[in-house]
Amino acid sequence: MSISSSLNAGVMGLSVNGTRLAAISDNIANAGTKGYKRSQVDFSSMVLQQRSSSYAAGGVRVETYKDIGNSGALISTGSSTDVAVSGRGLLAVTDITGVVTPAAERSLRLTPTGAFFPDKDGNLRTQSGLFLLGWPADSSGNIGNVVRNSGANLEPINLASAQFSATPTARIDLGINLPASSTRVGGSPEAYLLPVEYYDNIGRGETLTFQFSPVAPTAPATASNQWTVEIFDTATGAASIGSLDIVFSDAATGSGRLTSATPTIPTPPATNGATYDATTGVVSLTLPHGPVEVFIGRPGESEGVSQFAAPFAPTAVTKDGTPIGSVQSIEIDDRGYLQALYNTGFRRTLYQIPVADVPNMIGLRELDAQSYALSGQSGNLYLWDANNGPVGGVAGYSLMESTTDIAAELTDLIETQRAYSSNAKIVQTVDDMLQETTNLKR
């Protein structure tokens, strides 16, 4: 009976508009919630099989979803660990149980933004209990090969272990000039000292001293173009740890460039800890904290140690490594690299924060605290480098605002109220008509 179908359609209209009202209420309530994604409703008609002699109202059904793919505006904050994705994509997070759970068993969640701060253990978390995940970097700041279709290599970001940092010296580059006059007849026999500070495994400063002594020419030569280099290390005492004889081309055959470098027996006699590789121009030393490479130059090339008619001049002496330092601040760049800045001026990459993406953002399952979980409808996870592929960058000092538009929600609220009243009127009208039908019996 068509009048009964009208009643059913009116009741369904009341129900779906009640659902729409609930979504609007949620949106308005979360207008100030950072990272909130607007709830939306989608009405679709229901059609019954019709007969030519009558019409039966099918009614309406409703589907609700979160518009997760819609990004809110970013606002600047004063905290470097306030993080948001500037564009498509979400941050990988976990709950408190995931901090101590193996990666294979961890609860992986996704969120667009978070006001993270270090807890008592140094883990970056939000007040609502979401812990930020990232790929850890090695001591050189490299991430290496990581699994991108799951969270297998992700770890809770912890800043406590990076509070103090020291990087041992592994390479020293010598760019110096030795005076050519010292190796000529009548030249000064004065030795030249070049102290170079380096750092061991615990950030302690030690000194390598390179002593360059000219070799006097033998008759009838006018210049030997030869020097003896002895190397001393304060970490091992006063004895020489290595010795080299280095020879330069003379004015007739070259331009003061290195010709050869040959390890010799140090004085006083000891084991020579120096070896030279002509293909790399590197002298290899073994110091108490480990091996160190000293670049002096390749034969025939201009880089490294030279001998020109100029005074002794250390023009370019560089080394790697850093002394012990404490963290002054944390920064996150747009590529997702979380870096610690130390009071020694050293900058170290601790983690890379990836940006997660799925084929169907709307298909993600909604959880508390503006977080989402994978589902059968969302598709497979992929972890991108920030600002690569379809995803946006990672913004530090930023939070994402709610995608709720108050003006639009209030407009929808008026429409919903009118629609609800109209459906209530249908129910009332059907009730009156049924009452009239009942009265025919009297």
Side-chain angles (χ1 to χ4, degrees), residues 393-440:
V394 173
Y397 293 97
S398 300
L399 290 174
M400 182 181 292
E401 290 192 312
S402 170
T403 58
T404 297
D405 182 345
I406 290 292
E409 299 299 330
L410 292 178
T411 301
D412 289 346
L413 184 61
I414 295 172
E415 293 177 353
T416 303
Q417 181 182 11
R418 294 294 175 85
Y420 191 92
S421 299
S422 299
N423 282 278
K425 190 65 175 178
I426 291 175
V427 175
Q428 182 182 359
T429 301
V430 171
D431 180 57
D432 291 343
M433 293 174 68
L434 290 175
Q435 184 63 44
E436 288 295 329
T437 305
T438 303
N439 291 339
L440 290 176

Side-chain angles (χ1 to χ4, degrees), residues 44 70 160 167 351:
S44 58
N70 184 20
T167 305
Y351 293 90

Side-chain angles (χ1 to χ4, degrees), residues 130-322:
L130 298 179
F131 291 77
L132 185 60
L133 300 177
W135 292 315
D138 60 20
S139 58
S140 300
N142 299 316
I143 304 301
N145 294 323
V146 290
V147 176
R148 292 183 177 271
N149 56 3
S150 76
N153 296 127
L154 292 175
E155 294 182 4
I157 292 180
N158 186 286
L159 304 181
S161 59
Q163 185 61 42
F164 297 96
S165 178
T167 305
T169 298
R171 182 179 173 98
I172 299 172
D173 286 15
L174 299 184
I176 63 175
N177 181 70
L178 300 174
S181 60
S182 295
T183 62
R184 298 181 66 83
V185 173
S188 170
E190 175 188 0
Y192 296 93
L193 300 179
L194 177 66
V196 179
E197 185 182 28
Y198 73 90
Y199 308 107
D200 62 14
N201 286 327
I202 60 174
R204 180 174 49 199
E206 299 287 356
T207 302
L208 275 182
T209 300
F210 298 86
Q211 178 177 291
F212 297 90
S213 301
V215 176
T218 57
T222 58
S224 67
N225 299 311
Q226 182 177 345
W227 295 75
T228 298
V229 184
E230 288 202 74
I231 307 169
F232 303 90
D233 182 12
T234 57
T236 59
S240 171
I241 63 169
S243 180
L244 300 166
D245 278 343
I246 58 176
V247 180
F248 297 92
S249 56
D250 57 24
T253 60
S255 56
R257 295 178 179 177
L258 185 69
T259 299
S260 65
T262 306
T264 59
I265 301 300
T267 54
T271 301
N272 192 353
T275 60
Y276 176 71
D277 186 346
T279 60
T280 61
V282 167
V283 175
S284 297
L285 302 175
T286 301
L287 303 186
H289 78 274
V292 172
E293 295 181 342
V294 180
F295 177 79
I296 64 171
R298 288 177 284 268
E301 296 188 1
S302 58
E303 293 85 0
V305 182
S306 61
Q307 180 190 260
F308 293 103
F312 175 76
T315 55
V317 178
T318 61
K319 64 181 182 296
D320 60 8
T322 59

Side-chain angles (χ1 to χ4, degrees), residues 1-13 48 50 54-60 426 430 434:
M1 180 176 183
S2 59
I3 192 170
S4 298
S5 68
S6 300
L7 179 61
N8 289 335
V11 171
M12 293 177 71
L48 300 180
Q50 305 296 331
S54 64
Y55 181 88
V60 62
I426 291 175
V430 171
L434 290 175

Side-chain angles (χ1 to χ4, degrees), residues 79 101 238 313 315 328:
S79 173
T101 302
T315 55
Q328 278 191 322

